[in-house]
C-alpha cells in the first residue's frame, strides 16, 4: 500500500479556501481527492491538471456522501485525512432572515460535516488511524450581529468537534478543529450577492450595515488563502497534530472578545455595526 496520505476535501471550487487546501496537500506529496457539488465540478478542472482527483460530492445528501466515500475506499483502500471544508455564508438579522435560509446554513455548515464524519469513521476506526479536520470560525467563539445564523452554525461545529475528539480517541482517530480568522476568498462576494434576495422590513435602516457585515472578512488585511492553507496543512500532517488551530487576520481580536465581559463585546459590536443609531 502506498505511503501517500489519502486526503478527501469537501467544498473545493476555485476561489475558495478548499481549492487552496487541495494544492497545499498536493505540495506535501499527498494523494488528494477534491470534491464539490455537481454545479461546481467545472471549477475543479485546474486541479485535475495538477494530478489531483476530483469527485462529485454533496454534503447535503446521504447517498452522495456514502457513494463518494465508498468509491474512494474501494480505489485507494482508505481515507487518511478528511477536511470538512464545505460551507456557506449566511447574513441577515435573525428576526427576519427566513428560517429556510437558516436551516440551509446548519444543514451545510454543521450537519454536512457530521454526515461526512459518520461515513468515514467506520473505516478509520477499523484501521485505528485517521484525522478528521472540522472547519469552524472565530465568529463561532464571539458571534457578531447580522450573521447569527452563520456564527451559530460554526459554534455548533466547535462543540461537535470537542465532543468527537474525545469520543473517537479510543479508536485512534484524531479530530482537529480549525478556527480561521478573516481569510481572503470568494465567501464575501457570495454573501453580498445573496443579500439582493431580501427586502428587510424592521431592519431596512440597517441595510448598509448588514451588507458591510457580509463583506467584513474580505476587506482590509484579510489573510491570503494560499498562506492560510499551507499553514493548516503543515500542522495537520505533523507528527502530533494539534487539537485546535487558530490562524488568520483578526484571530487575536476575537480571542480577546470571546473572553471579555459581555458589556465590552456588546459595546464593540454596537459601535462597529452602528447599532446605537435611532430608528
Amino acid at each position: 500500500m502506498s505511503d501517500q496520505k489519502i486526503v478527501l476535501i469537501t467544498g473545493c471550487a476555485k476561489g475558495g479556501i478548499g481549492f487552496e487546501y487541495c494544492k497545499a496537500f498536493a505540495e506535501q506529496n499527498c494523494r488528494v481527492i477534491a470534491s464539490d457539488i455537481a454545479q461546481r465540478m467545472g471549477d475543479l478542472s485546474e486541479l485535475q491538471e495538477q494530478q489531483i482527483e476530483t469527485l462529485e460530492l454533496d454534503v447535503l445528501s446521504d447517498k452522495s456522501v456514502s457513494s463518494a466515500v465508498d468509491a474512494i475506499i474501494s480505489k485507494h483502500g482508505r481515507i487518511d485525512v478528511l477536511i470538512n471544508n464545505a460551507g456557506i455564508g449566511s447574513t441577515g438579522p435573525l428576526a427576519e432572515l427566513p428560517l429556510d435560509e437558516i436551516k440551509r446554513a446548519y444543514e451545510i455548515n454543521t450537519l454536512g460535516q457530521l454526515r461526512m464524519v459518520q461515513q468515514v469513521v467506520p473505516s478509520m476506526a477499523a484501521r485505528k488511524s485517521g484525522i478528521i479536520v472540522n472547519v469552524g470560525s472565530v465568529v463561532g467563539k464571539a458571534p457578531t450581529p447580522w450573521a447569527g445564523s452563520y456564527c451559530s452554525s460554526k459554534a455548533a461545529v466547535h462543540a461537535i468537534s470537542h465532543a468527537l475528539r474525545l469520543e473517537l480517541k479510543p479508536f485512534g482517530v484524531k479530530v482537529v478543529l480549525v478556527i480561521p480568522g478573516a481569510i481572503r476568498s470568494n465567501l464575501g462576494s457570495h454573501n453580498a450577492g445573496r443579500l439582493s434576495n431580501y427586502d428587510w422590513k424592521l431592519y431596512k435602516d440597517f441595510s448598509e450595515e448588514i451588507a458591510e457585515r457580509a463583506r467584513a472578512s474580505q476587506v482590509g488585511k484579510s489573510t491570503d488563502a494560499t498562506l492560510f492553507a499551507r499553514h493548516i496543512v503543515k500542522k495537520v500532517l505533523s507528527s502530533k497534530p494539534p487539537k485546535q488551530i487558530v490562524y488568520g487576520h483578526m484571530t487575536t481580536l476575537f480571542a480577546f472578545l470571546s473572553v471579555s465581559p459581555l458589556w465590552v463585546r456588546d459595546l464593540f459590536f454596537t459601535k462597529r455595526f452602528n447599532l446605537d443609531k435611532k430608528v
Side-chain angles (χ1 to χ4, degrees):
M1 188 176 290
S2 170
D3 290 333
Q4 274 189 314
K5 295 285 187 186
I6 308 300
V7 181
L8 170 60
I9 306 171
T10 64
C12 299
K14 188 171 184 179
I17 297 172
F19 190 85
E20 299 301 328
Y21 279 137
C22 291
K23 294 191 292 183
F25 273 109
E27 288 172 358
Q28 296 299 318
N29 195 36
C30 294
R31 190 63 182 173
V32 179
I33 297 95
S35 68
D36 214 311
I37 57 176
Q39 303 92 299
R40 295 180 180 167
M41 290 303 293
D43 292 345
L44 276 56
S45 58
E46 186 177 316
L47 295 175
Q48 292 175 326
E49 297 170 5
Q50 301 178 43
Q51 306 304 308
I52 293 172
E53 293 182 40
T54 60
L55 184 66
E56 183 180 324
L57 190 160
D58 184 350
V59 299
L60 291 174
S61 165
D62 290 340
K63 182 179 180 180
S64 176
V65 170
S66 63
S67 296
V69 170
D70 289 348
I72 295 167
I73 294 175
S74 176
K75 180 175 182 179
H76 297 286
R78 67 193 190 280
I79 295 173
D80 295 302
V81 182
L82 166 66
I83 306 294
N84 263 325
N85 172 72
I88 60 167
S90 183
T91 308
L94 286 169
E96 284 195 49
L97 191 64
L99 281 177
D100 284 347
E101 290 297 313
I102 296 172
K103 287 178 183 177
R104 182 171 173 78
Y106 273 82
E107 285 284 354
I108 296 175
N109 296 349
T110 309
L111 296 180
Q113 292 198 13
L114 198 52
R115 183 173 284 110
M116 293 297 305
V117 168
Q118 292 186 348
Q119 285 296 324
V120 302
V121 158
S123 63
M124 286 183 172
R127 294 175 50 245
K128 299 288 186 183
S129 176
I131 302 174
I132 294 170
V133 180
N134 291 336
V135 179
S137 172
V138 288
V139 298
K141 300 180 71 174
T144 74
W146 316 133
S149 53
Y150 177 78
C151 298
S152 56
S153 74
K154 289 300 187 177
V157 168
H158 294 190
I160 286 170
S161 300
H162 292 316
L164 275 173
R165 185 177 65 251
L166 296 173
E167 292 175 356
L168 294 179
K169 187 175 181 180
F171 304 99
V173 179
K174 297 180 174 66
V175 176
V176 178
L177 174 61
V178 172
I179 304 180
I183 312 300
R184 203 171 306 126
S185 71
N186 57 13
L187 183 66
S189 59
H190 287 171
N191 286 350
R194 292 169 67 87
L195 289 180
S196 62
N197 298 331
Y198 309 125
D199 181 20
W200 309 121
K201 297 177 176 64
L202 186 62
Y203 290 94
K204 62 182 179 181
D205 290 337
F206 292 94
S207 295
E208 289 185 13
E209 287 81 7
I210 295 169
E212 182 185 351
R213 174 60 187 89
R215 300 185 296 266
S217 65
Q218 304 303 305
V219 298
K221 299 179 181 179
S222 55
T223 300
D224 177 75
T226 301
L227 177 66
F228 172 80
R230 286 174 174 166
H231 177 84
I232 300 303
V233 166
K234 287 181 180 179
K235 293 285 188 181
V236 169
L237 294 178
S238 64
S239 57
K240 291 185 177 180
K243 297 177 175 68
Q244 184 169 285
I245 307 171
V246 184
Y247 190 73
H249 182 52
M250 294 202 296
T251 51
T252 301
L253 169 62
F254 274 81
F256 168 76
L257 291 172
S258 69
V259 298
S260 296
L262 285 179
W263 71 265
V264 173
R265 188 192 303 182
D266 288 357
L267 179 61
F268 175 82
F269 286 131
T270 294
K271 296 296 185 183
R272 175 69 177 78
F273 294 107
N274 205 19
L275 282 158
D276 51 1
K277 75 160 95 173
K278 302 298 181 183
V279 294

